[in-house]
Amino acid sequence: MLTRRHFLRTASIAGAAIATADLSFARYAPEKGRFAISLAEWSLHKALFKKEITNLDFPRLAKQEFGVTGLEYVNQFFKDKARDTAYLSDLKSRAEGFGLKNVLIMIDGEGMLGAPDAAARGKAVENHKPWIDAAKFLGCHAIRVNAASQGEYAEQQKLAADGLRRVGEYGASQGIHVIVENHGGLSSNGEWLAGVMTLVGMPGVGTLPDFGNFRVSREVEYDRYKGVTELMPFAKGVSAKSHDFDAQGNETHTDYKKMLDIVIASKYRGFIGIEYEGTTLGEHEGIKATRALLERHLQGYL
């Protein structure tokens, strides 16, 4: 169990790191307009897992097929390359060659940052550091992490805040944001995750509100509009999740106008990432349908 003394001590250390870091979000904002559209690589996960394409193909497809301006990578598709500077140089060159901005890397499978066991939590923190280095090398502004934990509500908040603060401290030293997605368990409870952000209290640690990931458990689904509203004050990215569309091109699970009005009402300026996870449309068609929906409701802001 975390003690108050340990909690405050780590907070003061993290604060000292931030004082010397350049975490100005303005330098990562779109070149024109308030928002720009990026593409989450997970939108192509079926083709990637089938080896029909590779991570190195992602920049070309993002530009030529979908016309986005930002890239959101997924570490699963170059899992052993975090320290491979030759590979990362190739990837960066491809993105730059298509005039694309590398936005972030989504990190999974590197341990539970809110693990109750201190050693496991510490190992998870260390596992995330090479990805911060990789993000910096690629010119991204952030890594996306998870805030999974175990135990009671308040204890999970403290544990997750401890792990996030420690990763955030290293991120701050490298000028890289650490952002948390609502991604299952209590992290899909907007009030819980907003509380974690308040506990962390670091400008370099924020959220990546996802329009669709509000399933807390099999029995409980958090209100997605309430959740995004609670997470937007901490947002350093937005994930426009989509699954299915009706004949008019509207997403059938999320009222995109209502959701994007919440984003517009916030102070956030930056990339909004397409993340298509549907099964009715193919991946390419689903990505294009999501982009069309974003463009419809963001007229005057792109």
Side-chain angles (χ1 to χ4, degrees):
M1 181 176 294
L2 291 176
T3 65
R4 178 176 173 79
R5 178 178 295 177
H6 173 72
F7 195 81
L8 294 174
R9 179 173 61 82
T10 54
S12 65
I13 293 171
I18 290 172
T20 60
D22 181 6
L23 287 168
S24 170
F25 194 65
R27 61 195 175 110
Y28 302 108
E31 294 180 3
K32 62 178 181 177
R34 180 176 168 188
F35 306 121
I37 298 176
S38 51
L39 178 62
E41 190 173 20
W42 189 254
S43 301
L44 296 163
H45 70 274
K46 294 176 184 176
L48 284 155
F49 281 130
K50 290 178 181 177
K51 309 295 185 184
E52 294 172 354
I53 58 173
T54 73
N55 185 59
L56 291 173
D57 295 317
F58 182 45
R60 174 182 58 80
L61 289 168
K63 180 66 173 184
Q64 295 181 346
E65 293 291 322
F66 311 117
V68 300
T69 56
L71 302 170
E72 300 181 11
Y73 298 98
V74 175
N75 75 325
Q76 295 182 55
F77 302 120
F78 57 122
K79 187 73 172 179
D80 60 342
K81 305 297 185 183
R83 294 185 173 91
D84 188 335
T85 55
Y87 180 91
L88 295 176
S89 293
D90 187 6
L91 185 60
K92 183 178 182 180
S93 177
R94 292 176 188 231
E96 291 176 346
F98 287 107
L100 298 173
K101 181 172 286 190
N102 290 329
V103 178
L104 59 86
I105 308 175
M106 297 185 178
I107 312 302
D108 299 295
E110 295 293 1
M112 188 182 294
L113 288 173
D117 178 73
R121 194 164 65 253
K123 181 66 163 60
V125 169
E126 293 304 312
N127 288 349
H128 282 78
K129 290 181 179 179
W131 290 109
I132 288 175
D133 296 337
K136 181 178 181 180
F137 188 98
L138 289 172
C140 300
H141 83 84
I143 62 167
R144 187 280 277 147
V145 304
N146 299 299
S149 187
Q150 295 173 339
E152 297 300 320
Y153 185 102
E155 182 65 12
Q156 285 199 46
Q157 282 187 317
K158 292 177 183 178
L159 291 165
D162 179 63
L164 288 168
R165 186 182 301 105
R166 290 157 67 183
V167 176
E169 178 183 356
Y170 184 71
S173 73
Q174 302 302 311
I176 297 294
H177 297 103
V178 175
I179 60 178
V180 186
E181 181 181 354
N182 45 301
H183 208 195
L186 278 174
S187 78
S188 289
N189 177 315
E191 184 177 13
W192 181 88
L193 187 52
V196 171
M197 292 297 104
T198 300
L199 283 174
V200 173
M202 295 171 63
V205 177
T207 59
L208 179 71
D210 183 290
F211 292 175
N213 286 352
F214 286 99
R215 175 66 63 181
V216 178
S217 66
R218 183 175 296 179
E219 299 79 20
V220 178
E221 183 165 7
Y222 200 80
D223 182 279
R224 64 187 63 198
Y225 308 102
K226 181 175 184 289
V228 170
T229 299
E230 290 165 331
L231 298 178
M232 283 308 301
F234 308 97
K236 297 186 186 298
V238 173
S239 183
K241 177 67 59 63
S242 62
H243 289 90
D244 299 300
F245 301 85
D246 63 19
Q248 289 72 45
N250 296 307
E251 217 284 335
T252 59
H253 301 276
T254 299
D255 182 335
Y256 256 59
K257 183 181 186 308
K258 182 176 181 179
M259 194 66 88
L260 289 169
D261 281 348
I262 294 169
V263 175
I264 291 168
S266 74
K267 295 180 180 180
Y268 176 73
R269 180 189 176 203
F271 282 89
I272 298 178
I274 295 168
E275 189 170 37
Y276 174 67
E277 282 192 342
T279 56
T280 303
L281 295 178
E283 289 182 325
H284 284 226
E285 293 74 21
I287 292 168
K288 291 175 181 178
T290 309
R291 174 171 178 168
L293 196 52
L294 287 172
E295 290 177 333
R296 186 201 310 176
H297 293 300
L298 292 175
Q299 290 185 37
Y301 292 97
L302 294 172

